Amino acid sequence: ISSKLCPSASFAATYASDLILNGNVTFSTTNSPTFSGVISGTGGGITTATTTNNTSVTLGGANIYTGATIVSTGTPASNVGSLRITNADATLNSSGVTVQTGARFEAAVSNAKLANVSVLAGGFLRLTNGQDTGLGATLPTSAIAGTLEINNLIGANYDGIQMAAGGTVSALLSTTYASDLILNGAVTFSAANSPTYSGVISGAGSIVTFGTGTLTLNAQNTYSGGTTLAVTTAIVALGSDSTGTTSGPIGTGPLNVDVAPTTAIQGVGATRTISNAVNIDANFNLGGTQDLIFTGATALLSSRSVTTNNTNTTFSGAITGALALTKLGTGNLIMSGAAPPARTAWAGPGPGS
């Protein structure tokens, strides 16, 4: 096939024969065709046609074409990718796979070879099947600037995906991501579908909450940029304790309370000790059934309330901010740190300092 031709299908067909690309070829997404034969060609590449009708192209062969692969800007359906691969080697030999803004590349196969995939801001990489580097999977070598979509259980052998500043991590079902992640900047983590992250999250970046649900952080994370509670509908559940100031479920940076979720923080499994500094600039709500102990410094940046609906919440670090604090909720609030703030009201149980 020469350049600028456009393989297309008049219905949702599978083309099972081999193709040879003599140049860069645009593949039509009309009727969501599947190409399961081997696509070859030295220097030949694939561009998916811009789509606005929720269609896609699926590559199912162990392709050996060497040109670039461009997943074009479009509006793919929420349940498919603009370009889907169902063979782990489908784009292995391409000189590079670029996922543009508004486009989605979907790895609908286990242990996909994704080292050459670059996801631009506004693009999507969806992992629909399990991935394991011990079984041949490779992960993108460049940081994902768009959205990493998790659509399956990802075990502990897919460590090292990097997320760029402005990127998003989103689970499409209630699942566990057990591998390590690296944050290179402020990254949004969606709480939708209540995912669990049990791999170590590291890097100089930060987590910003988004969505409705419970975001569970279980590992001894070391990311240093902080954690910001930025929406009213997300709960952050802590499944481990801080280890001094070197690691913990919310890394080593400050916990920034910027909005007032119904429940912002809760412990899971046992009493949880958190050594991070806490910056309170919105009403701070604590829930669940486990006790929480905050040992780091707490800064009250504006006059706010702390609602404790768990049994006991303790702030044992220094408390700064000559502002009013209102205690609400059914649980105990224990402020044993130096210089607790003034209290305009103390509704419900809980000793002061």
Side-chain angles (χ1 to χ4, degrees):
I1 297 176
S2 61
S3 61
K4 298 184 181 179
L5 291 181
C6 188
S8 62
S10 58
F11 56 93
T14 295
Y15 189 91
S17 295
D18 297 345
L19 291 171
I20 302 172
L21 309 182
N22 294 325
N24 294 319
V25 176
T26 299
F27 277 53
S28 172
T29 61
T30 302
N31 296 308
S32 298
T34 296
F35 297 88
S36 60
V38 174
I39 303 173
S40 62
T42 301
I46 291 176
T47 299
T48 62
T50 299
T51 176
T52 58
N53 56 355
N54 294 333
T55 54
S56 61
V57 172
T58 298
L59 302 181
N63 301 319
I64 55 175
Y65 69 93
T66 61
T69 304
I70 307 295
V71 190
S72 296
T73 298
T75 54
S78 61
N79 61 339
V80 297
S82 306
L83 179 65
R84 303 173 68 245
I85 62 170
T86 56
N87 185 298
D89 297 332
T91 55
L92 171 64
N93 293 286
S94 173
S95 60
V97 180
T98 302
V99 185
Q100 296 182 338
T101 300
R104 176 180 288 113
F105 182 93
E106 180 182 1
V109 60
S110 298
N111 307 319
K113 310 299 194 298
L114 304 178
N116 58 355
V117 175
S118 298
V119 184
L120 305 184
F124 298 81
L125 172 61
R126 176 173 294 183
L127 303 179
T128 297
N129 291 63
Q131 308 296 326
D132 187 328
T133 56
L135 298 176
T138 61
L139 46 87
T141 56
S142 60
I144 295 172
T147 298
L148 172 64
E149 295 182 319
I150 302 162
N151 202 30
N152 205 318
L153 169 69
I154 302 297
N157 294 314
Y158 199 61
D159 295 333
I161 282 185
Q162 299 180 66
M163 297 298 302
T168 298
V169 179
S170 177
L172 305 182
L173 70 167
S174 181
T175 190
T176 296
Y177 192 97
S179 290
D180 298 348
L181 290 168
I182 301 170
L183 310 183
N184 294 335
V187 176
T188 298
F189 274 64
S190 175
N193 298 304
S194 297
T196 296
Y197 295 89
S198 58
V200 173
I201 303 173
S202 64
S206 63
I207 286 179
V208 179
T209 62
F210 178 76
T212 300
T214 300
L215 176 69
T216 300
L217 304 174
N218 279 345
Q220 288 297 305
N221 299 318
T222 60
Y223 66 95
S224 60
T227 303
T228 299
L229 307 180
V231 293
T232 62
T233 53
I235 300 169
V236 177
L238 310 178
S240 64
D241 298 314
S242 293
T243 303
T245 58
T246 61
S247 66
I250 52 174
T252 63
L255 172 63
N256 303 308
V257 185
D258 286 356
V259 298
T262 302
T263 299
I265 295 288
Q266 66 184 35
V268 177
T271 296
R272 294 301 174 201
T273 298
I274 306 302
S275 62
N276 305 68
V278 180
N279 298 317
I280 300 177
D281 201 18
N283 296 333
F284 192 20
N285 301 320
L286 303 144
T289 60
Q290 304 299 331
D291 291 353
L292 294 167
I293 302 172
F294 294 90
T295 62
T298 298
L300 190 61
L301 303 180
S302 55
S303 295
R304 295 294 178 180
S305 65
V306 172
T307 301
T308 57
N309 287 321
N310 58 331
T311 303
N312 297 297
T313 297
T314 300
F315 289 87
S316 63
I319 301 171
T320 59
L323 298 160
L325 177 69
T326 301
K327 189 274 176 191
L328 302 172
T330 59
N332 294 315
L333 175 61
I334 303 164
M335 306 184 74
S336 58
R343 295 191 293 274
T344 58
W346 196 270
S353 59

